[in-house]
Amino acid sequence: MDFSLASPKPIEILLVEDNPGDVRLTMEIFKEAKIQNNLHITMDGVEALAFLRREGKYSRAPRPDLILLDLNLPKKDGREVLAEIKNDEFLKRIPVVALTTSRSEEDILKTYDLHVNCYIIKPVDFEQFIGVIKGIEDFWLTVVKLPGEV
Amino acid sequence: MKAEKISKEKTALLSTFSSGSEASQIVQLRQELEAVTKRLQSIISERENIGKDLNAAREKIRQKSEELQSITEELARTKEELARTKEDLQAQAAVGNPSAAHEEVQKRNSELNQIFNTAADGMRVIDKKYTVLRTNKTLLNMEGLSSEDEVIGRKCYEVFPGSLCHTEECPLNRILHGEERVECDAEKRGKDGTRIPCIVTATSFLGPDDELLGIVEDFKDISEWKKAEKELAQRAEELARSNRDLQQFAYVASHDLQEPLRMVASYVQLLSRRYKGRLDSDADDFIAYAVDGALRMQNLINDLLSYSRVGTHGREFEPTDFTEVLNRVKGNLQTAITESNAVIIHESMPTLMADGSQMVQLFQNLISNAIKFRSQEQPLIQVSAESQEGAWVFSVHDNGIGIDPEYFGRIFTIFQRLHNKAEYPGTGIGLAICKRIVERHGGRIWVNSEPGKGSTFYFTIPKDGKM
């Protein structure tokens, strides 16, 4: 292991979430994270794809290492965003975590069919929500070897 | 008579003696005497013969008399017989008298006609060539006709046409094809085109030697039934719609309420997490109450959501192994079972058509209640299943604190609780959900209990497994 890199490059995370309460809550929890990260926010599907494709005001946007995607979004649905990402040669390697309130079996299976990397039901309970965000952090930012690091 | 004749001849003889010569007179006398003697002898002989004849005649008469006697006896017997025959004949005449018999037949006929015409069902007799032979008044009314003359001798399909005419399903055709009795639904049309839904019953119409002459057709007008049936179906549809609306409402309300509530609960908890002990003690209390209230409301809404999901998110019924169901329940309740040291025993369980995950939820609620409301004793929970006509009866028996019979009905109502929250936490949704699950499966649920002696919850799941 190389310990010479004292300050590693922070992990870039794109959160696609239309609920400002959830956005802020997620931000607050990531603030407590041990891993240095930059959380970018887009509030709908169209904006998310613009960010990923560096269109318009996102021309200087970084390529995210991880995408946290809510499925129920205005304008362009989370499922459509997912399908476009996974059909895009340039974007398809970016791990996408579906973070949604839907427990429906149909949603879960359909989302995996669209090649989501994992599906997480957003807990209603705050403590559990913290647990889930910490879990994402521990697993995706620590355990997993992300393609962007290769 | 013969004596008289002899005396006359003696007189003639004496007179002869008194006149003529003596010698010649003597010779003549001798000759005459001889002649008389001969005559006398012949008369005697004749008399003897006559006697013989008389005897023979007398014998004959006797015989005849005997014959007569036997004939007389015979006659008397015959007369008696005749008298008896006459009596019999008279008796027979009383019954077999052509005019009396005719009256009797007319009386019977009139009775049968009354019965035929006042029958609630329309009836007619048709021969094998579709010709109407007889019809009753009820049928004439159904047909919209007033007289038999408009019907008798005409074809059945012209007089009272219907949905089965000229098809293989025509009752007459079916009976001609060998069926003895036909019962079917048909829509008939009256003269003015009125559509009359009927139950048609046709039976063979047989002649004296059991030969098939045609059919007797009976029409039961079921317009009213059909109307009621339609109304019922409409009402059922309305009810089902209103039920769906309500379920949808409960689901949407609880689901949509959950979102803003999650914000309230999350941020008051974030407040508590970040600022507990950093403001004054009042602030800490206020935040604590806000957190508690928000969490309780979340539980209520979650329960409401689960309750409404029984109806909206139920799965199709599949063959469900109840032993497997209980194993899953025991797995899910492992912590509670270990902590309470509970023993759960069950007999062999059937496999039935049911929503498996709801069965898990049902048993889990009942068994976790049995653990939760345990007495000082070690919890002993017995689950059993008994096959009854049409359904399986399941029971969950415990040795817990029991329930006062006064509350048997109330415990299955949503959010009804018998204990305060400090004693036994919970929203009071568990048994309401159980009831909904059982009802969705077409069964029923009830309880038997005595305070201090444990409770037994029973529920049925029908064997035919229809939703």
Side-chain angles (χ1 to χ4, degrees):
Chain A
M1 283 212 193
D2 189 356
F3 290 99
S4 64
L5 294 169
S7 59
K9 196 174 140 249
I11 302 260
E12 305 293 336
I13 302 168
L14 173 65
L15 173 65
V16 190
E17 168 66 73
D18 66 316
N19 180 352
D22 273 332
V23 169
R24 181 67 192 265
L25 212 54
T26 311
M27 286 169 69
E28 293 300 324
I29 299 163
F30 270 108
K31 267 189 201 166
E32 299 173 10
K34 294 179 283 290
I35 306 293
Q36 204 188 342
N37 62 80
N38 290 327
L39 191 65
H40 307 274
I41 314 293
T42 54
M43 307 280 280
D44 64 54
V46 173
E47 216 188 319
L49 286 166
F51 182 96
L52 290 167
R53 289 171 179 154
R54 296 179 178 144
E55 291 165 356
K57 62 174 175 175
Y58 297 113
S59 60
R60 299 176 68 89
R63 178 187 167 90
D65 295 299
L66 182 69
I67 300 169
L68 303 180
L69 179 67
D70 186 7
L71 291 183
N72 299 311
L73 295 171
K75 290 186 191 169
K76 195 166 255 179
D77 193 55
R79 296 160 194 83
E80 291 171 76
V81 174
L82 177 62
E84 289 198 33
I85 293 170
K86 293 302 176 184
N87 281 316
D88 188 312
E89 281 303 314
F90 179 69
L91 302 173
K92 69 179 181 189
R93 283 194 188 132
I94 305 173
V96 179
V97 174
L99 190 57
T100 174
T101 50
S102 171
R103 299 171 171 274
S104 117
E105 207 171 281
E106 198 193 332
D107 270 346
I108 297 170
L109 298 179
K110 198 179 163 196
T111 312
Y112 277 110
D113 284 346
L114 294 170
H115 307 292
V116 77
N117 296 79
C118 75
Y119 189 104
I120 293 173
I121 296 163
K122 207 188 277 178
V124 173
D125 180 78
F126 177 68
E127 294 297 334
Q128 285 176 22
F129 185 72
I130 293 175
V132 162
I133 300 298
K134 297 257 184 226
I136 291 172
E137 216 180 275
D138 288 346
F139 183 73
W140 288 103
L141 308 192
T142 315
V143 178
V144 170
K145 187 76 178 166
L146 293 165
E149 300 170 313
V150 177
Chain B
M1 266 182 5
K2 280 177 182 171
E4 218 174 312
K5 199 176 170 187
I6 291 167
S7 82
K8 267 184 190 167
E9 282 177 0
K10 251 183 193 169
T11 313
L13 199 65
L14 284 172
S15 64
T16 314
F17 271 111
S18 57
S19 63
S21 69
E22 268 179 57
S24 65
Q25 275 183 341
I26 290 170
V27 170
Q28 201 183 347
L29 273 173
R30 207 175 269 158
Q31 284 175 342
E32 279 181 15
L33 189 68
E34 277 174 8
V36 168
T37 306
K38 273 184 186 168
R39 280 203 64 171
L40 268 174
Q41 276 176 340
S42 97
I43 286 170
I44 289 166
S45 159
E46 205 178 331
R47 279 194 64 173
E48 274 174 6
N49 280 342
I50 288 172
K52 275 182 191 165
D53 284 353
L54 266 173
N55 274 342
R58 215 171 266 145
E59 178 59 21
K60 264 194 177 166
I61 285 171
R62 199 187 53 80
Q63 279 175 0
K64 289 285 172 194
S65 163
E66 272 180 19
E67 266 174 39
L68 199 67
Q69 181 65 30
S70 84
I71 289 170
T72 311
E73 282 173 13
E74 181 87 32
L75 263 173
R77 278 200 301 276
T78 311
K79 194 182 158 191
E80 259 181 42
E81 230 166 73
L82 268 171
R84 271 205 306 276
T85 311
K86 191 185 165 195
E87 269 176 24
D88 282 356
L89 280 171
Q90 277 175 341
Q92 280 172 15
V95 180
N97 178 333
S99 71
H102 185 67
E103 273 176 36
E104 183 70 23
V105 166
Q106 275 194 326
K107 194 178 147 216
R108 291 273 177 88
N109 208 14
S110 147
E111 282 173 5
L112 286 175
N113 265 334
Q114 274 190 50
I115 295 170
F116 187 56
N117 281 320
T118 55
D121 293 359
M123 286 194 260
R124 66 181 178 184
V125 182
I126 304 170
D127 71 9
K128 292 198 276 185
K129 303 275 181 199
Y130 307 93
T131 309
V132 179
L133 302 179
R134 284 192 76 174
T135 190
N136 74 347
K137 287 215 170 74
T138 319
L139 186 59
L140 284 174
N141 287 339
M142 284 169 80
E143 291 164 340
L145 302 171
S146 49
S147 160
E148 274 189 355
D149 303 339
E150 297 174 82
V151 176
I152 307 289
R154 291 185 59 199
K155 296 296 180 195
C156 58
Y157 47 80
E158 292 170 2
V159 181
F160 200 31
S163 53
L164 304 180
C165 290
H166 311 294
T167 71
E168 284 294 300
E169 295 302 305
C170 154
L172 176 55
N173 288 346
R174 284 174 64 181
I175 289 205
L176 290 176
H177 280 103
E179 287 182 56
E180 279 181 7
R181 181 190 165 87
V182 172
E183 194 171 320
C184 55
D185 279 12
E187 192 181 72
K188 303 298 279 183
R189 282 191 303 282
K191 191 186 178 187
D192 60 356
T194 321
R195 288 170 187 277
I196 310 163
C198 291
I199 292 176
V200 184
T201 311
T203 42
S204 319
F205 181 56
L206 302 177
D209 298 322
D210 278 356
E211 74 278 22
L212 184 65
L213 298 180
I215 57 166
V216 180
E217 243 183 332
D218 177 298
F219 300 92
K220 187 181 282 298
D221 181 347
I222 52 169
S223 306
E224 290 299 313
W225 293 4
K226 288 278 174 187
K227 210 174 116 193
E229 202 176 70
K230 209 171 151 189
E231 278 174 10
L232 212 66
Q234 261 173 9
R235 233 171 265 175
E237 175 52 34
E238 274 168 33
L239 262 174
R241 200 176 50 234
S242 123
N243 214 16
R244 275 197 303 274
D245 286 353
L246 266 173
Q247 281 183 345
Q248 201 56 29
F249 173 78
Y251 180 73
V252 169
S254 42
H255 186 263
D256 290 1
L257 281 173
Q258 210 173 31
E259 232 355 77
L261 181 63
R262 190 168 61 87
M263 288 298 106
V264 174
S266 297
Y267 281 94
V268 289
Q269 283 176 93
L270 188 60
L271 263 180
S272 152
R273 186 185 166 93
R274 288 265 174 91
Y275 299 102
K276 196 172 178 188
R278 292 166 72 175
L279 305 170
D280 60 15
S281 66
D282 275 355
D284 283 353
D285 280 353
F286 299 165
I287 291 171
Y289 282 122
V291 168
D292 179 58
L295 291 182
R296 271 194 292 128
M297 187 150 169
Q298 258 179 350
N299 285 335
L300 282 175
I301 287 177
N302 273 339
D303 287 348
L304 206 56
L305 205 54
S306 328
Y307 184 75
S308 72
R309 274 198 184 115
V310 173
T312 55
H313 287 57
R315 294 182 194 187
E316 295 278 311
F317 292 179
E318 290 173 334
T320 302
D321 177 358
F322 279 68
T323 307
E324 183 54 32
V325 167
L326 285 178
N327 288 338
R328 277 182 58 191
V329 170
K330 285 192 275 187
N332 292 348
L333 295 176
Q334 195 49 56
T335 314
I337 292 169
T338 312
E339 280 173 6
S340 64
N341 208 15
V343 176
I344 300 170
I345 53 174
H346 64 85
E347 305 163 1
S348 73
M349 291 280 137
T351 294
L352 281 177
M353 289 298 285
D355 178 332
S357 61
Q358 288 192 343
M359 288 302 109
V360 169
Q361 199 180 358
L362 172 60
F363 274 106
Q364 192 163 319
N365 286 356
L366 292 176
I367 293 174
S368 65
N369 271 355
I371 295 172
K372 182 170 160 186
F373 298 104
R374 62 182 177 269
S375 62
Q376 300 299 322
E377 293 169 50
Q378 178 189 20
L380 175 65
I381 300 154
Q382 289 165 281
V383 181
S384 51
E386 191 191 320
S387 174
Q388 288 191 358
E389 205 187 318
W392 277 84
V393 180
F394 293 89
S395 63
V396 177
H397 174 78
D398 65 47
N399 58 348
I401 57 172
I403 306 159
D404 194 317
E406 196 187 329
Y407 303 117
F408 283 178
R410 219 172 110 179
I411 55 172
F412 295 105
T413 311
I414 189 166
F415 298 141
Q416 287 288 335
R417 300 165 41 82
L418 300 184
H419 307 276
N420 69 46
K421 287 197 171 62
E423 278 181 302
Y424 296 99
T427 53
I429 192 82
L431 289 175
I433 287 179
C434 288
K435 185 163 183 266
R436 267 201 98 171
I437 290 174
V438 170
E439 282 171 357
R440 179 172 174 254
H441 284 74
R444 55 189 202 93
I445 187 168
W446 68 100
V447 65
N448 242 329
S449 178
E450 207 178 312
K453 292 196 174 169
S455 309
T456 311
F457 283 84
Y458 300 90
F459 65 88
T460 60
I461 299 291
K463 287 174 184 170
D464 59 6
K466 288 194 196 86
M467 265 187 253

